[in-house]
Structures are given as C-alpha cells and as structure tokens.
Amino acid sequence: MKERLRKLLPILGPFLGLAFVLALFTAIGPEGFLSSYNFRTVATQTVIVGLGALGMTYVIISGGIDLSVGSVIALASVITALVLDAGHDALTACVAGVGTGLACGLVNGLLITQLGIVPFIVTLGMLGIARGLAKYLADEQKVDAPTSWITDLMTKAPEPAWLFFAPGVWLLFALAAVLALVLRSTVFGTHTFAVGSNEATAELCGVRVTRVKVAIYALCGACAGLAGVMQFGRLTVGDPTTAMGKELDIIAAVVIGGGSLAGGEGRILGSLVGAFLMSYLANGCNLIGAPTFIQEILIGCIIIAAVALDRLRHAAR
Amino acid sequence: MPASGRGDVALSMRAVRKSFGPVVALDDVTIEVRAGEVHALVGENGAGKSTLVKILAGVHTPDSGELALAGHPFRPRGPLDALERGVAMIYQELNLAPHLSIEENVLLGREPARCGWLDKRERRARVTRALAVLEHADLDPGERVASLSPGARQLVEIARALVGEPAVLVLDEPTSSLAGDDVERLFRVIGALRERGVAIVYISHFLDELTRIADRYTVLRDGRSVASGAMAGTTVATIVAAMAGRALAEHYPRVPHVPGEVVLELQGLSGRALPYDVDLVLRRGELFGIAGLVGAGRTELLRALFGLDPIRSGRVLLAGVTAEPGSPAARLRQGIGLLSEDRKGEGLAVARSVGFNLTLSRLEPFGRVFSDRRARDECTQGFVDRLGIRCRDPRQRIAELSGGNQQKVALARLLHHDVDVLLLDEPTRGIDVASKVEIYRTLGELAARGKAAILVSSYLPELIGICDTIAVARRGRLGAARPARDWTETALLAEATGAEVVA
C-alpha cells in the first residue's frame, strides 16, 4: 500500500497543487472563478505555455534546457503574420510558423551536439538571436495581417458551440496525448529518458545520443513555433516583443509537473497540469484584482514548493 | 549461440598498438581467448587494460595490429557494432540509467520495435528469459534500477550482456562492488556461460579470485602482454611478479607499531537503521579492521561516527571524554577524518587539481583570507613525494590520474589535516597492486606515529595482512574484536555470513 502510494505521489503531486490553487481562490471567492466560461478562458490562456511545455518536457527529461522558446514564439508569430501579409493562405502561414520554430530548435540541437557547448549557453544565445531577428523582420513594430481562420483557433466563442473549448485548446490536448504516447511507447521516448538518466551508458549501449538530442531540440522548437502561431491567432498581429520571459513560465510548468532539471524525470501530463496551475493562478489573481506582483510572488513560491516536495519524496526513500 | 566449438580460438588480438597523442597506451599486445574458457587479464592500473577493453568494445580503434573473431577480422565501428557481432561488455563502473526500469536498461539501444514503436510484450519476454538464466526470476523487470541493491544492479548489467547471446564476454572488475554471496552467484553464472562455450575475458585485481575461476591468464605491463599461460600450477606470486616486473618482497608491508592508550570508544552506538548497538575500542597506533558483507552496516557505522548520518543512541568517547554528536566539520576539528568508499562521487572533486583536493579540508596554513597557491603547491608536492603519487604537478586535474593515485590523494588529505583517527571505507577498492602496497605502508607508518585507523574492507587477505585487530559486522551489529593473527579468511567469512554460530 505504502509502495503504491509512493509510486502514485509524483503523478498526483501536480494535481494536488492545482487542487490547492483552485481551493484557495474558491475560498477567497471572486465572482465566476469556477464558472465554465472562466474555465474556457483559462484553457485558452494555457495554450501558449502548454504547447511550449510539451517540447520542454522532452528537453528537460534529456537533462537539457531550452531558454530560447519565448523568443522563438515571438519570431514564429512574426513569420506567420508576414507570410499571411504576403498573400499566402493560412495553412502555408501555419507551416511557416511551425517550420521557423523547428529550424531554431534544429540549430540549437546541432550547436549543442556538434560544438559540444552546454544547452544553457547555446539556447541563451538563441534567445537573443531569435528575438533580434523577429524585431528586424517586423521592422520593430507589430505586423498586421489579413484575417484568416488562424484567429479562430484561439477564440473564446468557438463555432460550432459544442466544441466548448477553442480549437487551439483541443490541439494542445491532442498533441499532449500524442507526445505522451511517444514518450511511453517508442524507442525515441526510451532513449530520451536514457540520455537524461545516464548519457555515458546510453552511448555505450549504442544509443545514437547526438541524433536523439538534435531531435529533442527540434521537437521543442517546433512546439514553440506552434505556440507562436497560436500567439499570432490570439493577438491577430505578429508581435516581435511578445512572450518575453515566457521560457521561464514554460520551464516552471515542467518543473511543477515533476520534471527534474538533472534529467531522467518528467511527465507530459504533469507539465500540462503545471501549465494549467499557472494559468489559474494568474486568472485568480486578476479576478480578485490583486496586483501582478502578488501573482509573481505566488508563482515563485509554488515553483520552490514543488521542487522542495520532490526533494522530500526522494529523501524519504 | 557461438558458432565455434569449445577450444577453438574465439577472439585473438595480435600485435595491437594504440597511442593517444604522445602517450602509448598499448604497445604490442597479443592475446588468444578460446571458446569455453575464462581468460584472466591482469595488470596494474595504467598497464593498458581499460584501453584494451575499449578497443574490444569498439570505443577506440587500434593504430595497428589485428583483431579477429572466430578467425574473421574484427574491426568494430562502435559499441553497438561490437555488441551485434557478439562481443559484450560488463564494465567496472556500473553503467546503468537509474531512472529507467530493469527491462529498459537491459535492452537499451536494442529495443524490439516496429517502426519506432516499442514491442513491450517481446521486451518483457526477452528480459524475463535473461533473468531466469541468471537464477533471478524474482526481479520485476518493470522495477526502476535506482531502487535496486548494487548486487541486483550488477545482475542487470550481466543480463544486458547476455540477451545478445554473445560469443565473447568481457568482464571488467565485476566484483569490485559486490559482497560475498553475490560474488558466488556471479561465479556460478560465469561457470554456466563457460559450459555453453562462451569465451570470457575476466579482469580483476583480486588475484585469489582469478586463481579460482580462470583457466588461463595474460599479464599486461606498460601496454605489453608480458606473460601468459595456464592458471593451473601458477601461483599468485608468479603473476604478481610479472605484473610488477619485479618480485614484490612483501605484499603486506608491516611497519612495527604498538597500540597505546584508548583514543576512541563507542558505547552502544545506533544509527537510523544501521548500525545497531555497536561497541568499539580504538587505541593509538592501532589499525582496526572491520569485515562484513555489503549492507552489514559497515559504511553506515563510519558515516554515523563522522556525523554524516544521524546517531540515534549511544555514546562516542574521544580520549575518554564524551563527544557530542557533531557535523563532519566538528568531527574534523576533533581529529577524525573519513575516506569515502565513493571516490569519484563523494571523496574527490575530480574536475579540480591534486593540490585543491589535498588541501581542501585545511586551507588555513596558506592564508586566512587569500590563499597562497605557491605554498599550497609546495605542501602538496611534499605529500606527492611521500606517498609516491604519480602526477605531473600539483595542479594536474584529479580526473587525469589513475584510480590508485586518486586514492592516494584522498588519503593524503587526511594526512594533511593531521587527523588522529582515520576512518577508511574500502581504501583499496579497484586500485592497482603497487598503489595498494603504498597505502598499506603509509597506514603502517601512521600507526607507528601513534595515529589510529578503522579500516572497512571487503578484501579479507588485506584485513588480515595489515590490521592489528579485526571485528566482523553483520546485520548492523559488530562482533567481538580479536587480534588479526587469530583470524583466518574462513573464520571471517563464516562470521560475516552467519554460517557458523559462535557460542
């Protein structure tokens, strides 16, 4: 029984955190916090961080980090807007946005593996490069684009109404399901864990560590690219200054969800719950009219508490 | 199953040479290993054994010379290629991914899969079969490796080597992290593999182990194969002489010393789970040995004593005065020092220099605020000369040193701190014979100068060879201490395993 509980705790942990936040704000009782309309709003607000967190989960499991995702989101949103503005159709624009992210991730992965530079430094560099590139391409202003179905992806009133959530939210859920399955049930998923758990062993066992890493960063980049497309959909413009610092929210979501920065641990579902937890926290603070600094302090406390709980769990063994 | 019959040459290396820049690691090595034999490969650290193993594993490519598997040229392109061609490795350091399960580790890099999707049923079946061959059907293939004991982890490594049904199996110091019964189990598995015609290359520093299990041997010295022959009729002394290039006059040098007054006394010391109710009396100038199986509470006793683990009850007396339970820093001030069994993980900062590591616990002599690096280097050099540490200079990184020399640095730190009581946990594990002898000699000199040491070791001849007093730990308790000359290996083993109930 105790054994079962010990195995369940890391999976339940993020849910308990989410339940705590929900209970907290329900107790304070802002108007409409638990309403379905608010749930829908929060879900839509979670899409950007959630998508970023999916790819980041892979990176963190492999023992790496990607600091560039915030900038890549901005770059992808600008590219999407520019492609639409140039008269191409919406699908092409989406592909261009996701492709931009994929390319950034690929460059990250290649620099990390081929030059042997630690991920922190490479992606810190990419953070600057992608942001600068976005500003250059957008001429340092917001890029307007003709309306298309991309903006419908993030609408709060989806058509048809039975969808309940915005299409972007469903996309997040579907991608999460696929990536969770890939992590559990494919050779690539096992190798992701192996690289993060003990890279030397993975190498000795014939795992193509370089390939696995490049693929992981490319995947993370592509997820950020998709998040960028969604960000464009939400803002209806390509904004080179958007998603500033979002990488930290994304990393926080993964860590709250049970990811270990030392590698070898992390769960897609956990990261998703982590992303929702942060959205609800922001949303709750907004509803009670608390200043943003309260929200920032709370998120900071929750990150530290999540990791501290994780440490306690490990120490208890 | 290996295609060759028993007695055929399964693996041969002829005039193999390998250099790294100006350093020649292997210079003319010739070895023949037959199917169905256990071939012992011996040599001091730095003799070239690990380079040879890495060539077999496909990690390194030789500069010249020929390798052949069952008569066919063998030039592995990488670890996976070597494995697929029938050469499996079990490395000295446990090489497992702790976050993965047993089955994920066993088939890592060779997962049964269709289009990238794992065939989990096939994986479970293959791993279950491999564990059954190892007489360990009790292990759950889904269990995380992090929660396994060292012995069980070793089994996972062996299972990993076996699933490919290798023709050649290389074991590099497989017993250095195992306790008695696990060693016996490993030997049974090796025996079974030999019967099935697998050619086994067995590397170990435990020479008495080799005389038990090996059929033939090859000695490496300074990158050359200098001697080889049948194990039957060969004495340990002959092999040691070939390894060192000289007859080691005394395997266990004894510096005369006489135990004096009591320096440390434990009364009913109990830790969290282990140790339990331990009494111990240590005198100045005494080398006190503790034998016992892994998990008997030997390491835990030293850790509790040194303040790394909590003391639940009992007393520690230093020179007759009760010492409060304290942190490692407090213990060091009281003149107690610990040499960790985990050299790379705990004992040394391997990325830092010899001097950094040696002086870390006591930097005061080099200045209270600013550290005088020259003075530190000079001090370090003194210990380098005294203990015969082989390094370029005091600023060379620990990672570049051999295991034996690393251990000497760890020991030198205690000497530099000038502790009165040395707690030594497996001080000679996995290091070469010459370094061992240096360490034995140093310990003898310390005892002659009135220092005292508690020495935990799994290598019984060493305990009997150098200690004055020995006690056996079993299930957290420490048995009665008796003079070393009254013990035999059999008696120690019997008490450690509880095979014989002493009335």
Side-chain angles (χ1 to χ4, degrees):
Chain A
M1 188 59 215
K2 213 176 156 190
E3 183 77 7
R4 287 272 299 277
L5 196 70
R6 214 191 62 200
K7 277 185 178 159
L8 266 166
L9 202 64
I11 299 163
L12 284 178
F15 284 100
L16 292 176
L18 183 58
F20 171 76
V21 169
L22 290 178
L24 182 74
F25 283 103
T26 311
I28 300 173
E31 197 71 26
F33 179 68
L34 283 180
S35 69
S36 72
Y37 173 77
N38 194 43
F39 183 34
R40 209 182 304 189
T41 310
V42 169
T44 313
Q45 282 165 354
T46 309
V47 170
I48 310 295
V49 168
L51 284 173
L54 296 183
M56 188 67 80
T57 306
Y58 275 74
V59 168
I60 284 180
I61 289 173
S62 79
I65 193 93
D66 188 344
L67 298 176
S68 68
V69 283
S71 299
V72 170
I73 289 172
L75 179 61
S77 85
V78 167
I79 296 273
T80 308
L82 285 175
V83 172
L84 271 180
D85 198 33
H88 297 284
D89 63 281
L91 189 63
T92 312
C94 288
V95 171
V98 175
T100 303
L102 182 79
C104 290
L106 214 54
V107 171
N108 279 337
L110 288 172
L111 288 175
I112 289 163
T113 53
Q114 302 307 310
L115 296 184
I117 309 175
V118 292
F120 189 95
I121 301 299
V122 169
T123 59
L124 185 63
M126 183 56 79
L127 178 149
I129 295 168
R131 178 71 65 186
L133 206 57
K135 287 181 180 168
Y136 165 72
L137 291 173
D139 211 7
E140 297 205 55
Q141 45 193 305
K142 289 180 177 140
V143 181
D144 290 312
T147 46
S148 67
W149 53 261
I150 299 181
T151 45
D152 297 339
L153 290 175
M154 295 291 276
T155 175
K156 280 174 192 164
E159 292 286 334
W162 55 260
L163 267 178
F164 187 68
F165 287 127
V169 177
W170 289 114
L171 194 65
L172 171 66
F173 288 160
L175 195 60
V178 169
L179 288 181
L181 197 63
V182 166
L183 202 52
R184 271 178 75 94
S185 298
T186 66
V187 174
F188 174 63
T190 307
H191 288 181
T192 301
F193 276 106
V195 167
S197 181
N198 189 338
E199 190 173 333
T201 295
E203 190 87 58
L204 280 175
C205 289
V207 174
R208 295 186 174 89
V209 173
T210 303
R211 265 196 227 179
V212 172
K213 280 190 177 174
V214 172
I216 287 169
Y217 284 94
L219 174 68
C220 185
C223 285
L226 186 57
V229 174
M230 295 299 160
Q231 184 75 327
F232 165 78
R234 209 175 84 176
L235 303 175
T236 67
V237 290
D239 182 357
T241 60
T242 191
M244 202 80 90
K246 266 286 185 279
E247 58 277 354
L248 298 183
D249 290 351
I250 289 169
I251 292 166
V254 176
V255 169
I256 290 171
S260 160
L261 289 181
E265 285 181 77
R267 272 167 297 275
I268 290 285
L269 182 61
S271 301
L272 204 56
V273 172
F276 264 93
L277 186 153
M278 297 219 301
S279 295
Y280 257 118
L281 202 60
N283 171 265
C285 286
N286 275 339
L287 287 182
I288 59 173
T292 44
F293 65 79
I294 296 280
Q295 178 187 329
E296 282 161 355
I297 291 172
L298 274 176
I299 289 181
C301 292
I302 284 183
I303 292 171
I304 293 172
V307 178
L309 281 175
D310 196 52
R311 291 282 305 170
L312 281 178
R313 184 169 59 81
H314 278 280
R317 288 196 180 161
Chain B
M1 262 301 88
S4 48
R6 292 195 64 177
D8 296 349
V9 175
L11 168 74
S12 69
M13 303 179 88
R14 225 171 290 281
V16 169
R17 190 186 151 87
K18 174 73 185 173
S19 56
F20 299 97
V23 183
V24 180
L26 288 185
D27 180 15
D28 191 14
V29 171
T30 296
I31 294 176
E32 261 183 11
V33 187
R34 296 176 194 147
E37 80 169 5
V38 177
H39 195 107
L41 190 61
V42 292
E44 293 188 12
N45 275 4
K49 295 184 310 255
S50 16
T51 311
L52 191 119
V53 167
K54 283 182 175 154
I55 286 178
L56 283 175
V59 177
H60 296 326
T61 317
D63 300 338
S64 63
E66 282 162 30
L67 275 75
L69 273 182
H72 304 290
F74 174 57
R75 285 227 153 197
R77 287 188 309 268
L80 192 60
D81 188 38
L83 201 58
E84 277 167 357
R85 298 179 61 179
V87 179
M89 301 280 156
I90 293 170
Y91 293 94
Q92 174 174 7
E93 312 279 328
L94 292 173
N95 267 293
L96 296 169
H99 301 90
L100 301 191
S101 66
I102 293 179
E103 56 188 348
E104 283 169 334
N105 267 290
V106 167
L107 285 170
L108 187 58
R110 289 172 292 163
E111 294 84 358
R114 258 166 302 196
C115 315
W117 292 87
L118 293 169
D119 184 346
K120 291 189 177 174
R121 192 176 299 168
E122 168 72 11
R123 183 171 72 182
R124 178 62 60 102
R126 280 169 68 179
V127 172
T128 307
R129 263 204 309 277
L131 289 174
V133 170
L134 295 173
E135 309 170 29
H136 265 278
D138 55 311
L139 287 173
D140 171 11
E143 178 89 29
R144 254 193 179 201
V145 161
S147 54
L148 298 177
S149 70
R153 290 184 193 197
Q154 179 92 38
L155 279 163
V156 176
E157 291 239 34
I158 297 170
R160 175 152 81 195
L162 290 187
V163 282
E165 309 230 314
V168 178
L169 179 64
V170 182
L171 299 109
D172 189 1
E173 293 278 355
T175 58
S176 58
S177 52
L178 293 187
D181 49 344
D182 285 326
V183 173
E184 290 306 318
R185 203 173 291 140
L186 175 67
F187 284 3
R188 277 208 301 279
V189 171
I190 291 176
L193 292 173
R194 166 164 57 190
E195 290 307 310
R196 290 165 68 180
V198 179
I200 296 159
V201 178
Y202 191 98
I203 298 169
S204 178
H205 280 120
F206 300 109
L207 297 178
D208 45 351
E209 243 175 57
L210 295 176
T211 52
R212 269 191 56 198
I213 193 167
D215 303 305
R216 295 199 309 136
Y217 69 92
T218 297
V219 178
L220 287 189
R221 190 176 74 226
D222 303 328
R224 293 161 178 274
S225 42
V226 291
S228 112
M231 210 64 178
T234 307
T235 62
V236 168
T238 321
I239 294 179
V240 170
M243 283 165 66
R246 60 187 185 274
L248 278 184
E250 34 185 11
H251 210 106
Y252 297 108
R254 291 202 76 112
V255 183
H257 54 267
V258 199
E261 82 262 29
V262 174
V263 58
L264 171 77
E265 191 173 353
L266 306 183
Q267 294 177 350
L269 192 77
S270 297
R272 205 159 33 197
L274 300 168
Y276 183 75
D277 194 17
V278 167
D279 296 326
L280 184 151
V281 175
L282 181 69
R283 296 170 181 279
R284 287 194 173 280
E286 180 177 331
L287 299 178
F288 190 105
I290 297 182
L293 306 179
V294 171
R298 304 173 304 170
T299 296
E300 290 80 357
L301 174 61
L302 296 192
R303 288 180 62 91
L305 182 49
F306 191 59
L308 282 166
D309 289 341
I311 292 176
R312 216 182 54 222
S313 63
R315 292 209 298 166
V316 178
L317 288 90
L318 284 170
V321 184
T322 304
E324 293 304 312
S327 64
R331 288 299 190 226
L332 277 166
R333 276 197 302 277
Q334 290 163 350
I336 301 179
L338 173 80
L339 183 103
S340 166
E341 66 171 334
D342 182 2
R343 193 164 58 230
K344 286 175 190 156
E346 278 185 359
L348 295 167
V350 292
R352 307 296 303 174
S353 69
V354 172
F356 176 94
N357 276 282
L358 205 152
T359 58
L360 185 58
S361 73
R362 195 166 72 99
L363 292 166
E364 292 83 6
F366 317 116
R368 290 223 162 259
V369 180
F370 297 101
S371 222
D372 180 350
R373 302 241 297 180
R374 285 258 303 279
R376 196 186 79 181
D377 288 347
E378 274 167 32
C379 167
T380 304
Q381 191 59 46
F383 285 106
V384 165
D385 296 339
R386 185 169 146 200
L387 273 81
I389 299 170
R390 265 182 270 172
C391 64
R392 210 169 43 235
D393 62 68
R395 296 198 183 173
Q396 188 174 7
R397 287 180 355 133
I398 290 288
E400 296 167 15
L401 268 50
S402 75
N405 285 307
Q406 290 180 353
Q407 195 67 311
K408 285 189 228 165
V409 174
L411 181 61
R413 179 196 292 161
L414 300 185
L415 304 193
H416 169 65
H417 201 95
D418 200 28
V419 295
D420 290 326
V421 178
L422 296 89
L423 310 177
L424 309 170
D425 199 355
E426 300 282 3
T428 63
R429 174 190 287 174
I431 71 174
D432 59 289
V433 175
S435 296
K436 279 185 186 179
V437 173
E438 293 273 12
I439 287 178
Y440 300 148
R441 190 180 47 76
T442 308
L443 292 181
E445 284 169 9
L446 286 172
R449 284 177 30 223
K451 308 286 187 191
I454 299 180
L455 183 84
V456 163
S457 174
S458 295
Y459 192 51
L460 302 177
E462 144 185 308
L463 285 177
I464 296 173
I466 66 164
C467 290
D468 304 299
T469 319
I470 303 175
V472 178
R474 188 157 84 88
R475 297 176 188 228
R477 296 171 181 271
L478 192 66
R482 284 186 247 161
R485 60 177 176 278
D486 295 352
W487 285 104
T488 61
E489 278 186 57
T490 342
L492 287 172
L493 261 177
E495 187 166 332
T497 55
E500 185 188 66
V501 181
V502 183

